[in-house]
Amino acid sequence: RAVTEEQEAVQNEWPSVASSSEQSYLTDQSSGLQRIAYAAQDTFALIVNSFNVARNIDDLLKVDSGPKVRGKTVRCLDGLRTLSMAWVVLGHTYIWTLSLYDNPSKVLETEQRFSAQVLDNGFLSVDSFLFVSGLLAAYIMLGMAAKSDKLPFVKLYVFRILRLLPLYMFVIMCQWWLLPYLVFYSPASMGLPSVDPNCSKYWWTNLIFISNFYPTELKDICFPVSWYLSLDMQLYILVPFVVLLFHRHQKSALATLLALLCTTWIVTASIDYHWNEPPNMMAYPGQPIEGWKPDVYTKPYTRSGPYIVGVLTGTQRALGVHVLSG
């Protein structure tokens, strides 16, 4: 009878134990589903908010944003980038509308003025972007090296590719498939075909950032202005090595950068001499530019000068010292 009573007691207790375990399991499952639901809601809200006009305008008009290292912000670059972008837009508007003018003789008369140099020499605006790019890359990486005495090379390269490539490919898709249909048979077409033949042949050169080397002619590049992104990426690859050397041996890094700077001058002068080109891209009133072949205008071994100066400036800013004075 005692055994029977004990068995009955166990049987009476078991449902409560099982019920407690089941409730705990259901609670855990419910919490997991709630977390998933909350995460989905957060993701959806994030996607929707990316189209929030009020918030985006507020972010675009901020004046206290920018890369920070040790609490410092290079605010002067905002003005430099704004003026450079305005110069680029002005120059390209001038170039791409020349074929639409009804009075080309007046255009030639305008180019006789000294003030027209801001149009004829709009090519030099690219140098300011190279300078800013080199400055920011060195400025940020040197701050990273100061914290851990090393740099995550692979992470830097992968992050930059992931940051650039999706939007870059989207723009190329628009250039290749969408833009020709939008401007076809319009005054803005300027002879554009219905489908861009250059992108159908050379889109992959943009994907791996070699469009400034292949195809060899600037006019054959898919999305021609993309040569700059290829050039910038090629120069960026070298920055972590130089910055790490600068962090550990400043004099050696300084000597390396100055040697590279002199090398790019010598290479540019040699190419110009070989092809009998003018020594620079400056155009004087009434004198058209006949030179600036792609092997000078788009290659890292000739256009790296401003980028190197930017790297030197970025290291000086991050370290708070004048590198050129020791």
Side-chain angles (χ1 to χ4, degrees):
R1 183 176 180 180
V3 173
T4 302
E5 292 177 354
E6 183 178 355
Q7 290 176 347
E8 290 178 355
V10 171
Q11 290 177 357
N12 292 332
E13 291 177 1
W14 171 251
S16 63
V17 174
S19 177
S20 176
S21 300
E22 184 178 359
Q23 290 176 0
S24 177
Y25 173 77
L26 292 175
T27 301
D28 293 340
Q29 288 292 99
S30 177
S31 299
L33 292 175
Q34 288 179 354
R35 286 195 295 269
I36 295 174
Y38 290 148
Q41 290 176 1
D42 291 342
T43 303
F44 179 75
L46 184 62
I47 294 174
V48 172
N49 280 330
S50 65
F51 298 94
N52 187 324
V53 177
R55 193 184 69 170
N56 289 338
I57 290 178
D58 184 60
D59 290 339
L60 288 173
L61 297 180
K62 281 183 179 179
V63 296
D64 59 346
S65 60
K68 294 184 178 181
V69 178
R70 301 176 186 175
K72 300 177 182 178
T73 303
V74 190
R75 296 185 177 182
C76 63
L77 296 184
D78 293 334
L80 180 59
R81 286 183 290 192
T82 300
L83 294 175
S84 300
M85 183 60 70
W87 195 5
V88 169
V89 172
L90 176 64
H92 281 83
T93 302
Y94 171 72
I95 292 173
W96 288 103
T97 56
L98 283 176
S99 62
L100 304 178
Y101 293 153
D102 292 330
N103 53 347
S105 60
K106 291 294 182 180
V107 176
L108 295 178
E109 292 179 8
T110 302
E111 289 194 351
Q112 300 291 328
R113 305 173 185 172
F114 181 79
S115 59
Q117 292 304 294
V118 70
L119 297 174
D120 293 332
N121 293 309
F123 310 102
L124 300 179
S125 61
V126 177
D127 289 345
S128 61
F129 283 103
L130 290 172
F131 169 79
V132 171
S133 183
L135 188 155
L136 292 177
Y139 183 59
I140 294 173
M141 290 184 195
L142 196 57
M144 297 171 62
K147 293 179 180 179
S148 59
D149 199 41
K150 60 182 180 180
L151 286 174
F153 283 74
V154 176
K155 183 178 179 181
L156 287 171
Y157 297 143
V158 171
F159 178 77
R160 184 173 178 84
I161 291 173
L162 292 178
R163 186 167 61 89
L164 292 177
L165 204 56
L167 182 58
Y168 185 24
M169 290 296 101
F170 176 78
V171 172
I172 289 178
M173 182 194 71
C174 293
Q175 163 79 11
W176 186 358
W177 293 335
L178 182 61
L179 183 62
Y181 293 101
L182 293 178
V183 300
F184 202 44
Y185 294 127
S186 74
S189 65
M190 293 178 286
L192 283 175
S194 58
V195 177
D196 190 338
N198 296 331
C199 284
S200 62
K201 294 180 181 178
Y202 302 119
W203 64 269
W204 57 272
T205 63
N206 300 77
L207 185 66
I208 57 177
F209 298 98
I210 63 168
S211 60
N212 60 330
F213 279 96
Y214 186 81
T216 56
E217 293 294 330
L218 190 62
K219 62 182 179 61
D220 294 331
I221 298 176
C222 170
F223 193 46
V225 296
S226 65
W227 67 265
Y228 175 83
L229 275 180
S230 298
L231 171 64
D232 190 83
M233 176 64 76
Q234 292 156 12
L235 294 174
Y236 180 86
I237 291 174
L238 300 177
V239 176
F241 297 95
V242 175
V243 167
L244 196 58
L245 178 62
F246 206 101
H247 175 66
R248 297 177 179 176
H249 306 283
Q250 291 186 20
K251 292 184 178 180
S252 299
L254 179 59
T256 300
L257 288 173
L258 293 178
L260 290 174
L261 189 60
C262 292
T263 300
T264 188
W265 293 340
I266 294 172
V267 171
T268 304
S270 300
I271 294 175
D272 286 339
Y273 178 79
H274 176 76
W275 293 105
N276 195 27
E277 298 290 346
N280 54 39
M281 292 181 291
M282 293 293 290
Y284 299 95
Q287 178 185 356
I289 299 177
E290 299 178 355
W292 69 275
K293 292 180 178 293
D295 54 359
V296 173
Y297 187 64
T298 64
K299 301 300 185 292
Y301 45 78
T302 56
R303 296 306 298 269
S304 58
Y307 197 93
I308 294 172
V309 175
V311 171
L312 282 168
T313 307
T315 53
Q316 172 178 304
R317 172 72 182 184
L319 293 175
V321 297
H322 296 283
V323 296
L324 295 179
S325 64

